Amino acid sequence: IACSFRYYALSAKRLKSLSLSLSLTQHEGTFSLFVVRISRDVIQFWSPNSINKNKAMVENLQSHGVITSDEVAKAMEAVDRGLFVPDPSYAYVDSPLSIGYNVTISAPHMHAMCLQLLDKNLKPGMRVLDVGSGTGYLTACFAVMVGSEGRAIGVEHIPELVASSVKNIEASAAASPLLKQGSLAIHVGDGRQGWGEFAPYDAIHVGAAAPEIPEALIDQLKPGGRLVIPVGNLFQDLQVVDKNSDGSVSIRSETSVRYVPLTSREAQLRGE
């Protein structure tokens, strides 16, 4: 039996002394384990098909404390996740989804967490880099937050994903105008090298796990800027890197996570 386990990123503080209620569901021959409720903090993640609208998804993330910023909520409401996934019927399920080429689009709660961590560095007029932009969903959210005076750059090394992500963005009423005017762009490239053309960036997000933090990304981070990146191989941590005014960096781990690896295009296509 093939088992697929949905992973929830929760801090150690939230996990302390919590009791779990679990449910096992089946879809197309694959069993999935879902955390239905975590008592104590009254955090509840929704099960498949209980949420079928983008706004309801965002409201659920707000009610469970994953989204606390009005700006993050507005961006996620404006950019309909249903336009950015291969099967819209699963767009609002709190689970990662395959998008082909051995990669996934992250679960909504992970996107919300990363947007929250970068919230102060996504103000109008700021610059943001999204490494491993995939379907373009989170890049579009970034673009909406920094606005027409800012700049949001996505970098993805699979040309087919870049082409499809542009089509996804063009279908979004909130993001399409930003793409047309050039404040939002998706490029084919090796994200481990960043995108130097518009550096330095106020915010950098990496959507795949690196064995160590790429120096190029730290170099392209503006003093006062923040980088959010999963780091590790089998065991991974979502690390938050803040660059200080003197150029030094402070690094902390936010939570344990599980992402696909940040690797070369060839290795990714081989599933390595």
Side-chain angles (χ1 to χ4, degrees), residues 6 26-27 46-52 89-90 92-94:
R6 182 192 314 181
Q26 183 179 16
H27 171 65
W46 59 98
S47 59
N49 304 321
S50 65
I51 298 294
N52 58 11
S89 62
Y90 292 96
Y92 314 113
V93 175
D94 192 34

Side-chain angles (χ1 to χ4, degrees), residues 6-265:
R6 182 192 314 181
Y7 185 87
Y8 288 101
L10 294 175
S11 65
K13 180 180 178 182
R14 285 190 171 184
L15 283 174
K16 185 178 181 181
S17 301
L18 298 180
S19 62
L20 303 182
S21 171
L22 306 177
S23 71
L24 189 66
T25 62
Q26 183 179 16
H27 171 65
E28 296 180 350
T30 299
F31 287 89
S32 298
L33 182 67
F34 295 92
V35 178
V36 176
R37 177 172 297 170
I38 302 177
S39 61
R40 178 70 59 102
D41 284 356
V42 199
I43 300 171
Q44 188 175 14
F45 293 96
W46 59 98
S47 59
N49 304 321
S50 65
I51 298 294
N52 58 11
K53 297 293 183 182
N54 193 70
K55 183 175 176 61
M57 178 192 77
V58 176
E59 289 174 346
N60 237 1
L61 290 166
Q62 288 178 296
S63 66
H64 299 141
V66 183
I67 295 177
T68 58
S69 161
D70 289 342
E71 289 74 17
V72 169
K74 289 176 182 176
M76 290 187 72
E77 283 188 13
V79 181
D80 189 339
R81 181 178 162 92
L83 300 173
F84 291 82
V85 299
D87 186 348
S89 62
Y90 292 96
Y92 314 113
V93 175
D94 192 34
S95 177
L97 298 172
S98 173
I99 59 173
Y101 308 97
N102 294 311
V103 292
T104 61
I105 179 174
S106 294
H109 77 273
M110 281 307 306
H111 280 153
M113 178 183 292
C114 291
L115 286 164
Q116 279 293 150
L117 289 170
L118 292 169
D119 180 39
K120 293 182 179 179
N121 298 84
L122 295 172
K123 301 305 180 185
M126 290 186 171
R127 295 185 177 188
V128 54
L129 174 66
D130 187 19
V131 173
S133 50
T135 68
Y137 171 73
L138 200 58
T139 322
C141 291
F142 290 148
V144 168
M145 291 184 72
V146 300
S148 59
E149 300 302 315
R151 190 171 291 274
I153 301 296
V155 179
E156 169 59 57
H157 58 195
I158 304 295
E160 294 86 350
L161 283 178
V162 171
S164 63
S165 68
V166 170
K167 291 181 179 179
N168 296 339
I169 292 168
E170 288 173 340
S172 168
S176 180
L178 301 171
L179 182 70
K180 290 178 180 177
Q181 74 169 41
S183 58
L184 165 58
I186 310 288
H187 299 282
V188 178
D190 185 343
R192 296 172 295 182
Q193 303 304 316
W195 195 260
E197 181 181 0
F198 299 107
Y201 297 95
D202 298 279
I204 299 178
H205 167 266
V206 182
E212 57 187 22
I213 302 172
E215 283 295 328
L217 299 183
I218 295 176
D219 291 343
Q220 291 177 24
L221 195 62
K222 182 184 296 185
R226 171 170 284 189
L227 162 65
V228 173
I229 178 173
V231 178
N233 294 305
L234 180 60
F235 300 102
Q236 303 168 4
D237 287 322
L238 188 66
Q239 295 192 352
V240 179
V241 181
D242 291 306
K243 180 173 278 191
N244 304 312
S245 58
D246 62 359
S248 62
V249 296
S250 302
I251 303 174
R252 66 177 174 84
S253 292
E254 177 68 17
T255 188
S256 296
V257 292
R258 186 64 181 164
Y259 280 70
V260 298
L262 182 68
T263 185
S264 68
R265 178 176 181 269

